[in-house]
Amino acid sequence: MPPRVGIIGLHQAEFQEVKAHLFGPIIWHEMLPKIKVEGKTLWMERTNRSGFLPVDHVIYHGIYQDDLDFLSALALWGGPCYPNPFAMMNARLKFPCLVRALRHTHFPILMRGYASEGVSLNTPGEWVAKWGNWHCGENKERFTPSYTTQQPSIIEPFIDGEAIRVIAIGERSWQIHMDGEDWLKSIHSPKAEFMPINKDLLDDTLRIRQGMELDLIANDYLVDSQGQPYLLEVNHIPNVTQFPELWEAFRDHVVDWLGKQ
């Protein structure tokens, strides 16, 4: 029997596009399925029926509320999974991911801080508090000069500049100008658009991807008025559906990866 592929996280339309290029049995779940690992065998619950079936390969694309143990289980299994579950496991929590990435960036590092929940801050200048583990532009607050944290938070200086995302999927890469109605910038803004790739930003992104052993990556940078970039965030599961070009590249890369297993 051909290898069975487990596909997790893709919406139905995206799954159907990938499925059209594959042969053999597939188990698809838009949300996290129940799984069990027994030695070198990964069992995944069936899509529309009760019971479990063994899975040979896994495609994973999503961020869920409580998925760290799931990623760890995929890493424990050790079978062919895209992206690399060890790297996803190490990058899933935003603060530890950032600290790891800062070891690899060759740009200057912002003088960041940290404050536990309920801590009062009184610092000159403008700052940003960031909390939680969602990589979607939420859970951020700009303050000056006094602030009391509501959640354990990363504290970093506010810099007025251009927000840029650099994405690398396989051997292909893109750069996106992020925009928004206020100081919060996102690729979801109608004004977000592709722009020419800056070689230094791309080199830094690829350096971090290699250092963190990530298969795909999207780095968010802020470039100040003097042209100095600063690494803001590393996304281990970047949004690939906002722009058709990204989705097509991801789809083709995944199909190619499966063909090489």
Coordinates of all heavy atoms in Angstrom, one line a residue, residues 81-160:
C81 N 8.2 14.5 8.7 CA 7.2 15.5 9.0 C 7.7 16.8 8.5 O 8.9 17.2 8.7 CB 6.9 15.6 10.5 SG 5.8 16.9 11.0
Y82 N 6.8 17.5 7.8 CA 7.1 18.9 7.3 C 6.2 19.9 7.9 O 5.0 19.7 7.8 CB 7.1 18.9 5.8 CG 7.6 20.3 5.2 CD1 8.9 20.5 5.0 CD2 6.7 21.3 5.1 CE1 9.3 21.7 4.5 CE2 7.1 22.6 4.6 CZ 8.4 22.8 4.4 OH 8.9 24.0 3.9
P83 N 6.7 20.9 8.5 CA 8.1 21.2 8.8 C 8.7 20.4 9.9 O 7.9 19.6 10.6 CB 8.1 22.7 9.2 CG 6.7 23.2 8.8 CD 5.8 22.1 8.9
N84 N 10.0 20.5 10.1 CA 10.7 19.8 11.1 C 10.1 20.0 12.5 O 10.1 21.1 13.0 CB 12.2 20.2 11.1 CG 13.0 19.7 12.3 OD1 12.6 18.8 13.0 ND2 14.1 20.3 12.4
P85 N 9.5 18.9 13.1 CA 8.8 19.2 14.4 C 9.7 19.6 15.6 O 9.3 20.3 16.5 CB 8.2 17.8 14.7 CG 9.0 16.8 13.9 CD 9.4 17.5 12.7
F86 N 11.0 19.2 15.5 CA 11.9 19.6 16.6 C 12.1 21.1 16.5 O 12.0 21.8 17.6 CB 13.3 19.0 16.4 CG 13.3 17.5 16.8 CD1 13.2 16.5 15.8 CD2 13.5 17.1 18.1 CE1 13.2 15.2 16.1 CE2 13.6 15.8 18.4 CZ 13.4 14.8 17.5
A87 N 12.2 21.7 15.3 CA 12.4 23.1 15.2 C 11.1 23.8 15.6 O 11.1 24.9 16.2 CB 12.8 23.5 13.8
M88 N 9.9 23.3 15.2 CA 8.6 23.9 15.5 C 8.5 23.9 17.0 O 8.0 24.9 17.6 CB 7.5 23.2 14.8 CG 7.4 23.4 13.3 SD 5.8 22.8 12.6 CE 5.9 21.1 12.9
M89 N 8.8 22.8 17.7 CA 8.7 22.7 19.1 C 9.5 23.8 19.8 O 9.1 24.4 20.8 CB 9.2 21.3 19.5 CG 9.1 21.0 21.0 SD 9.8 19.3 21.4 CE 11.5 19.5 20.9
N90 N 10.7 24.0 19.3 CA 11.6 25.0 19.9 C 11.2 26.4 19.6 O 11.7 27.4 20.3 CB 13.0 24.7 19.5 CG 13.6 23.5 20.1 OD1 13.2 23.1 21.2 ND2 14.5 22.8 19.4
A91 N 10.4 26.6 18.6 CA 10.0 28.0 18.2 C 8.6 28.3 18.5 O 8.2 29.5 18.3 CB 10.2 28.1 16.6
R92 N 7.8 27.4 19.1 CA 6.4 27.6 19.3 C 6.1 28.7 20.3 O 5.2 29.5 20.1 CB 5.7 26.3 19.7 CG 4.2 26.5 20.1 CD 3.4 27.0 18.9 NE 2.1 27.2 19.2 CZ 1.6 28.4 19.6 NH1 2.4 29.4 19.7 NH2 0.3 28.6 19.9
L93 N 6.8 28.8 21.4 CA 6.6 29.8 22.4 C 7.4 31.1 22.0 O 8.6 31.0 21.8 CB 7.0 29.3 23.8 CG 6.3 28.1 24.3 CD1 6.8 27.7 25.7 CD2 4.8 28.2 24.2
K94 N 6.7 32.2 21.9 CA 7.2 33.4 21.2 C 8.4 34.0 21.9 O 9.4 34.3 21.2 CB 6.1 34.4 21.1 CG 6.5 35.6 20.2 CD 5.2 36.4 19.8 CE 4.5 37.0 20.9 NZ 3.4 37.9 20.5
F95 N 8.4 34.1 23.2 CA 9.5 34.7 23.9 C 10.8 33.8 23.8 O 11.8 34.3 23.4 CB 9.1 35.0 25.4 CG 10.1 35.8 26.2 CD1 11.0 36.6 25.5 CD2 10.1 35.7 27.6 CE1 12.0 37.3 26.3 CE2 11.0 36.4 28.3 CZ 12.0 37.3 27.6
P96 N 10.7 32.5 24.2 CA 11.9 31.7 24.0 C 12.4 31.7 22.5 O 13.6 31.6 22.3 CB 11.5 30.3 24.5 CG 10.3 30.6 25.4 CD 9.6 31.8 24.8
C97 N 11.5 31.7 21.6 CA 11.8 31.7 20.2 C 12.6 32.9 19.8 O 13.7 32.9 19.2 CB 10.6 31.6 19.3 SG 10.9 31.7 17.5
L98 N 12.2 34.1 20.3 CA 12.9 35.3 20.1 C 14.3 35.3 20.7 O 15.3 35.7 20.0 CB 12.1 36.5 20.6 CG 12.8 37.9 20.5 CD1 13.0 38.3 19.1 CD2 11.9 38.9 21.2
V99 N 14.4 34.8 21.9 CA 15.7 34.8 22.6 C 16.7 33.9 21.8 O 17.8 34.2 21.6 CB 15.5 34.3 24.0 CG1 16.9 34.1 24.7 CG2 14.7 35.3 24.8
R100 N 16.2 32.8 21.3 CA 17.0 31.9 20.5 C 17.4 32.6 19.2 O 18.6 32.5 18.8 CB 16.3 30.6 20.2 CG 16.1 29.7 21.4 CD 15.5 28.4 21.0 NE 15.2 27.5 22.1 CZ 14.1 27.3 22.7 NH1 13.0 27.9 22.2 NH2 14.0 26.5 23.7
A101 N 16.5 33.2 18.5 CA 16.8 33.9 17.3 C 17.8 35.0 17.4 O 18.6 35.3 16.5 CB 15.5 34.4 16.6
L102 N 17.8 35.7 18.5 CA 18.7 36.9 18.7 C 20.1 36.4 18.8 O 21.0 37.2 18.5 CB 18.3 37.6 20.0 CG 17.0 38.4 19.9 CD1 16.7 39.0 21.3 CD2 17.0 39.4 18.8
R103 N 20.4 35.1 19.0 CA 21.7 34.6 19.0 C 22.3 34.5 17.5 O 23.5 34.4 17.3 CB 21.8 33.2 19.6 CG 21.4 33.2 21.1 CD 21.4 31.8 21.6 NE 22.8 31.2 21.6 CZ 23.1 29.9 21.8 NH1 22.1 29.1 22.2 NH2 24.3 29.5 21.8
H104 N 21.4 34.5 16.6 CA 21.8 34.3 15.2 C 21.7 35.6 14.3 O 22.4 35.6 13.3 CB 20.9 33.2 14.6 CG 21.0 31.9 15.3 ND1 22.1 31.1 15.3 CD2 20.0 31.3 16.1 CE1 21.9 30.0 16.0 NE2 20.6 30.1 16.5
T105 N 20.9 36.6 14.7 CA 20.8 37.8 13.9 C 22.1 38.6 13.9 O 22.8 38.6 14.9 CB 19.7 38.7 14.4 OG1 19.6 39.8 13.5 CG2 19.9 39.2 15.8
H106 N 22.5 39.2 12.8 CA 23.7 40.0 12.7 C 23.3 41.5 12.8 O 24.2 42.3 12.6 CB 24.5 39.7 11.5 CG 23.8 39.9 10.2 ND1 23.8 38.9 9.2 CD2 23.2 40.9 9.7 CE1 23.1 39.3 8.2 NE2 22.8 40.6 8.4
F107 N 22.1 41.8 13.1 CA 21.7 43.2 13.3 C 21.8 43.6 14.7 O 21.7 42.7 15.6 CB 20.2 43.4 12.7 CG 20.1 43.2 11.3 CD1 19.1 42.5 10.7 CD2 21.0 43.9 10.4 CE1 18.9 42.3 9.4 CE2 20.9 43.7 9.0 CZ 19.8 42.9 8.5
P108 N 21.8 44.9 15.0 CA 21.8 45.3 16.4 C 20.6 44.8 17.1 O 19.5 44.7 16.6 CB 21.8 46.8 16.3 CG 22.4 47.1 15.0 CD 22.0 46.0 14.1
I109 N 20.7 44.5 18.4 CA 19.6 43.9 19.2 C 19.0 45.0 20.1 O 19.7 45.8 20.8 CB 20.1 42.8 20.1 CG1 20.7 41.6 19.2 CG2 19.0 42.3 21.0 CD1 21.3 40.5 20.0
L110 N 17.7 45.2 20.0 CA 17.0 46.1 20.8 C 17.3 45.8 22.3 O 17.4 44.7 22.7 CB 15.5 46.1 20.6 CG 15.1 46.6 19.2 CD1 13.6 46.4 19.0 CD2 15.4 48.1 19.0
M111 N 17.3 46.9 23.1 CA 17.5 46.7 24.6 C 16.1 46.3 25.2 O 15.4 47.2 25.6 CB 18.0 48.0 25.2 CG 18.4 47.8 26.7 SD 19.3 49.2 27.4 CE 20.8 49.2 26.4
R112 N 15.8 45.0 25.1 CA 14.5 44.5 25.6 C 14.6 44.2 27.1 O 15.6 44.1 27.7 CB 14.1 43.3 24.8 CG 13.8 43.5 23.4 CD 13.4 42.2 22.7 NE 12.9 42.4 21.4 CZ 13.6 42.4 20.3 NH1 14.9 42.3 20.3 NH2 13.0 42.6 19.1
G113 N 13.4 44.1 27.6 CA 13.3 43.7 29.0 C 12.1 42.8 29.2 O 11.4 42.4 28.2
Y114 N 11.8 42.4 30.4 CA 10.7 41.5 30.7 C 10.1 41.9 32.1 O 10.8 42.4 33.0 CB 11.3 40.1 30.8 CG 10.3 39.1 31.4 CD1 9.4 38.5 30.5 CD2 10.2 38.7 32.7 CE1 8.4 37.5 31.0 CE2 9.3 37.8 33.2 CZ 8.4 37.2 32.3 OH 7.5 36.4 32.8
A115 N 8.8 41.7 32.2 CA 8.1 42.0 33.4 C 7.1 41.0 33.7 O 6.3 40.6 32.8 CB 7.5 43.4 33.4
S116 N 7.0 40.5 34.9 CA 6.0 39.6 35.3 C 4.6 40.3 35.4 O 4.5 41.5 35.3 CB 6.3 39.0 36.7 OG 7.5 38.3 36.7
E117 N 3.6 39.5 35.5 CA 2.2 40.0 35.6 C 2.1 40.9 36.8 O 2.5 40.6 37.9 CB 1.2 38.9 35.7 CG -0.3 39.3 35.8 CD -1.2 38.2 35.9 OE1 -0.7 37.0 35.8 OE2 -2.4 38.4 36.2
G118 N 1.4 42.1 36.6 CA 1.2 43.0 37.7 C 2.3 43.9 38.1 O 2.2 44.5 39.2
V119 N 3.4 43.9 37.3 CA 4.5 44.7 37.7 C 4.4 46.1 37.1 O 4.0 46.3 35.9 CB 5.8 44.1 37.1 CG1 7.0 45.0 37.3 CG2 6.1 42.8 37.9
S120 N 4.7 47.2 37.9 CA 4.6 48.5 37.4 C 5.9 49.0 36.9 O 7.0 48.7 37.5 CB 4.2 49.5 38.6 OG 2.9 49.1 39.0
L121 N 5.9 49.7 35.7 CA 7.1 50.2 35.1 C 7.0 51.7 35.0 O 5.9 52.3 34.8 CB 7.2 49.6 33.7 CG 7.2 48.0 33.6 CD1 7.1 47.6 32.1 CD2 8.5 47.5 34.2
N122 N 8.1 52.3 35.1 CA 8.2 53.8 34.9 C 9.5 54.1 34.2 O 10.6 54.2 34.8 CB 8.2 54.5 36.3 CG 7.9 56.0 36.1 OD1 8.0 56.5 35.0 ND2 7.6 56.6 37.2
T123 N 9.5 54.1 32.9 CA 10.7 54.3 32.1 C 10.5 55.4 31.1 O 9.4 55.6 30.5 CB 11.0 53.0 31.3 OG1 9.8 52.6 30.5 CG2 11.3 51.8 32.2
P124 N 11.5 56.2 30.9 CA 11.4 57.4 29.9 C 11.3 56.9 28.5 O 11.8 55.8 28.2 CB 12.7 58.1 30.2 CG 13.7 57.1 30.7 CD 12.8 56.2 31.5
G125 N 10.6 57.6 27.7 CA 10.5 57.3 26.3 C 9.2 56.4 26.0 O 8.4 56.2 26.9
E126 N 9.1 56.0 24.8 CA 8.0 55.1 24.4 C 8.4 53.7 24.3 O 9.5 53.4 23.8 CB 7.5 55.6 23.0 CG 6.8 56.9 23.0 CD 6.1 57.2 21.7 OE1 6.7 57.7 20.8 OE2 4.9 56.9 21.6
W127 N 7.5 52.8 24.8 CA 7.8 51.4 24.9 C 6.6 50.6 24.4 O 5.5 51.1 24.2 CB 8.1 51.0 26.3 CG 9.4 51.6 26.8 CD1 9.5 52.9 27.3 CD2 10.7 51.1 26.8 NE1 10.8 53.2 27.6 CE2 11.6 52.0 27.4 CE3 11.2 49.8 26.5 CZ2 12.9 51.8 27.6 CZ3 12.6 49.6 26.7 CH2 13.4 50.6 27.2
V128 N 6.9 49.3 24.1 CA 5.8 48.4 23.7 C 5.9 47.2 24.6 O 7.0 46.6 24.8 CB 6.0 48.0 22.2 CG1 4.9 46.9 21.9 CG2 5.9 49.2 21.3
A129 N 4.7 46.8 25.1 CA 4.6 45.5 25.9 C 4.0 44.5 25.0 O 3.0 44.7 24.3 CB 3.8 45.7 27.1
K130 N 4.6 43.3 24.9 CA 4.1 42.2 24.1 C 3.9 40.9 25.0 O 4.8 40.6 25.8 CB 5.0 41.8 23.0 CG 5.3 43.0 22.0 CD 6.3 42.6 20.9 CE 6.5 43.7 19.9 NZ 7.5 43.3 18.9
W131 N 2.8 40.2 24.8 CA 2.6 39.0 25.7 C 1.9 38.0 24.9 O 1.4 38.2 23.8 CB 1.8 39.4 26.9 CG 0.4 40.0 26.6 CD1 -0.8 39.3 26.5 CD2 0.1 41.3 26.4 NE1 -1.8 40.1 26.2 CE2 -1.3 41.4 26.1 CE3 0.8 42.5 26.4 CZ2 -2.0 42.6 25.9 CZ3 0.1 43.7 26.1 CH2 -1.2 43.7 25.9
G132 N 1.9 36.8 25.4 CA 1.2 35.6 24.8 C 2.0 35.0 23.7 O 3.2 35.4 23.5
N133 N 1.4 34.0 23.1 CA 2.2 33.2 22.1 C 1.5 33.1 20.7 O 1.8 32.2 20.0 CB 2.3 31.8 22.7 CG 3.3 31.7 23.8 OD1 4.5 32.1 23.7 ND2 2.9 31.3 25.0
W134 N 0.6 34.1 20.5 CA 0.0 34.2 19.1 C 0.9 35.1 18.3 O 1.3 36.2 18.6 CB -1.4 34.8 19.2 CG -2.3 33.9 19.9 CD1 -2.9 34.0 21.2 CD2 -2.9 32.6 19.4 NE1 -3.7 33.0 21.5 CE2 -3.7 32.1 20.4 CE3 -2.7 31.9 18.3 CZ2 -4.4 30.9 20.3 CZ3 -3.3 30.7 18.1 CH2 -4.2 30.2 19.1
H135 N 1.2 34.6 17.1 CA 2.0 35.3 16.1 C 1.1 36.0 15.1 O 1.1 35.7 13.9 CB 3.0 34.4 15.4 CG 4.0 33.8 16.3 ND1 5.3 34.2 16.4 CD2 3.9 32.7 17.1 CE1 6.0 33.5 17.2 NE2 5.1 32.5 17.7
C136 N 0.2 36.9 15.6 CA -0.8 37.4 14.6 C -1.0 38.9 14.9 O -2.1 39.5 14.6 CB -2.1 36.7 14.8 SG -2.7 36.6 16.5
G137 N 0.0 39.6 15.4 CA -0.1 41.1 15.6 C -1.0 41.5 16.8 O -1.2 42.7 16.9
E138 N -1.4 40.5 17.6 CA -2.3 40.9 18.7 C -1.4 40.9 20.0 O -0.2 40.6 20.0 CB -3.4 39.9 18.8 CG -4.3 39.9 17.6 CD -5.5 38.8 17.8 OE1 -5.4 38.1 18.8 OE2 -6.3 38.7 16.9
N139 N -2.1 41.2 21.1 CA -1.4 41.2 22.4 C -0.2 42.1 22.5 O 0.9 41.7 22.9 CB -1.1 39.8 22.8 CG -2.3 38.9 22.9 OD1 -3.4 39.3 23.0 ND2 -2.0 37.6 22.7
K140 N -0.4 43.4 22.1 CA 0.6 44.4 22.1 C 0.0 45.7 22.6 O -1.1 46.0 22.3 CB 1.3 44.6 20.7 CG 1.9 43.4 20.1 CD 2.4 43.7 18.7 CE 3.0 42.4 18.1 NZ 3.5 42.7 16.7
E141 N 0.8 46.4 23.4 CA 0.3 47.7 23.9 C 1.5 48.7 23.9 O 2.6 48.4 24.4 CB -0.3 47.6 25.2 CG -1.0 48.8 25.7 CD -1.9 48.7 26.9 OE1 -2.2 47.5 27.3 OE2 -2.3 49.7 27.5
R142 N 1.2 49.9 23.4 CA 2.2 50.9 23.4 C 2.0 51.8 24.6 O 0.9 52.1 24.9 CB 2.1 51.7 22.1 CG 3.1 52.8 21.9 CD 2.8 53.4 20.5 NE 3.5 54.7 20.3 CZ 3.3 55.4 19.2 NH1 2.5 55.0 18.2 NH2 4.0 56.6 19.1
F143 N 3.1 52.2 25.3 CA 2.9 53.0 26.5 C 4.0 53.9 26.7 O 5.1 53.8 26.2 CB 2.7 52.1 27.8 CG 4.0 51.3 28.1 CD1 4.9 51.8 29.1 CD2 4.2 50.1 27.6 CE1 6.0 51.1 29.4 CE2 5.4 49.4 27.9 CZ 6.3 49.9 28.9
T144 N 3.7 55.0 27.5 CA 4.7 56.0 27.9 C 4.1 56.8 29.0 O 3.0 57.3 28.9 CB 5.2 56.9 26.7 OG1 6.1 57.8 27.2 CG2 4.0 57.6 26.0
P145 N 4.9 57.1 30.1 CA 6.1 56.4 30.5 C 5.8 55.3 31.5 O 6.6 54.5 31.8 CB 6.9 57.5 31.1 CG 5.9 58.4 31.8 CD 4.6 58.3 30.9
S146 N 4.5 55.3 32.1 CA 4.2 54.4 33.1 C 3.2 53.3 32.6 O 2.4 53.6 31.8 CB 3.5 55.1 34.3 OG 4.4 56.1 34.8
Y147 N 3.4 52.1 33.2 CA 2.6 51.0 32.7 C 2.6 49.9 33.7 O 3.6 49.6 34.4 CB 3.1 50.5 31.3 CG 2.4 49.3 30.7 CD1 1.1 49.5 30.2 CD2 2.9 48.1 30.7 CE1 0.4 48.5 29.6 CE2 2.2 47.0 30.1 CZ 1.0 47.2 29.6 OH 0.3 46.2 29.0
T148 N 1.5 49.2 33.9 CA 1.4 48.1 34.8 C 1.0 46.9 33.9 O -0.1 46.9 33.3 CB 0.4 48.3 35.9 OG1 0.8 49.4 36.7 CG2 0.3 47.0 36.8
T149 N 1.8 45.9 33.9 CA 1.6 44.7 33.0 C 0.3 43.9 33.5 O 0.1 43.7 34.7 CB 2.8 43.8 33.0 OG1 3.1 43.4 34.3 CG2 4.0 44.5 32.4
Q150 N -0.4 43.5 32.5 CA -1.6 42.6 32.8 C -1.2 41.1 32.6 O -1.9 40.2 33.1 CB -2.8 43.0 31.9 CG -3.2 44.4 32.0 CD -3.6 44.8 33.4 OE1 -4.4 44.1 34.0 NE2 -3.0 45.9 33.9
Q151 N -0.2 40.9 31.9 CA 0.3 39.5 31.6 C 1.8 39.6 31.7 O 2.4 40.6 31.5 CB -0.1 39.1 30.2 CG -1.6 39.0 29.9 CD -2.3 37.9 30.6 OE1 -1.6 36.9 31.0 NE2 -3.6 37.9 30.7
P152 N 2.5 38.4 31.9 CA 4.0 38.4 31.7 C 4.3 39.0 30.3 O 3.8 38.5 29.3 CB 4.3 37.0 31.9 CG 3.2 36.4 32.7 CD 2.0 37.1 32.2
S153 N 5.2 39.9 30.2 CA 5.4 40.7 29.0 C 6.8 40.9 28.6 O 7.7 41.1 29.5 CB 4.7 42.0 29.1 OG 3.3 41.9 29.3
I154 N 7.1 40.9 27.3 CA 8.4 41.4 26.8 C 8.2 42.9 26.7 O 7.2 43.4 26.2 CB 8.6 40.8 25.4 CG1 8.6 39.2 25.5 CG2 10.0 41.3 24.9 CD1 8.6 38.6 24.1
I155 N 9.2 43.6 27.1 CA 9.2 45.1 27.0 C 10.3 45.5 26.0 O 11.5 45.1 26.2 CB 9.4 45.7 28.4 CG1 8.5 45.1 29.4 CG2 9.3 47.2 28.3 CD1 7.0 45.3 29.1
E156 N 9.9 46.3 25.0 CA 11.0 46.8 24.1 C 10.7 48.2 23.7 O 9.5 48.7 23.7 CB 11.0 45.9 22.8 CG 9.8 45.8 22.0 CD 9.8 44.8 20.9 OE1 10.4 43.7 21.1 OE2 9.3 45.1 19.8
P157 N 11.7 49.0 23.3 CA 11.5 50.4 22.9 C 10.6 50.5 21.6 O 10.8 49.6 20.7 CB 12.9 50.9 22.7 CG 13.7 49.7 22.4 CD 13.1 48.6 23.2
F158 N 9.8 51.5 21.6 CA 9.0 51.7 20.4 C 9.9 52.5 19.4 O 10.5 53.5 19.7 CB 7.7 52.6 20.7 CG 7.0 53.0 19.4 CD1 6.2 52.1 18.7 CD2 7.1 54.3 19.0 CE1 5.6 52.5 17.6 CE2 6.5 54.7 17.8 CZ 5.7 53.8 17.1
I159 N 9.9 52.0 18.2 CA 10.7 52.6 17.1 C 9.7 52.9 15.9 O 9.0 52.0 15.5 CB 11.8 51.8 16.6 CG1 12.8 51.6 17.8 CG2 12.5 52.4 15.4 CD1 14.0 50.6 17.4
D160 N 9.7 54.1 15.5 CA 8.8 54.5 14.4 C 9.6 54.2 13.1 O 10.7 54.8 12.8 CB 8.5 56.0 14.4 CG 7.4 56.3 13.4 OD1 6.8 55.4 12.8 OD2 7.2 57.6 13.1

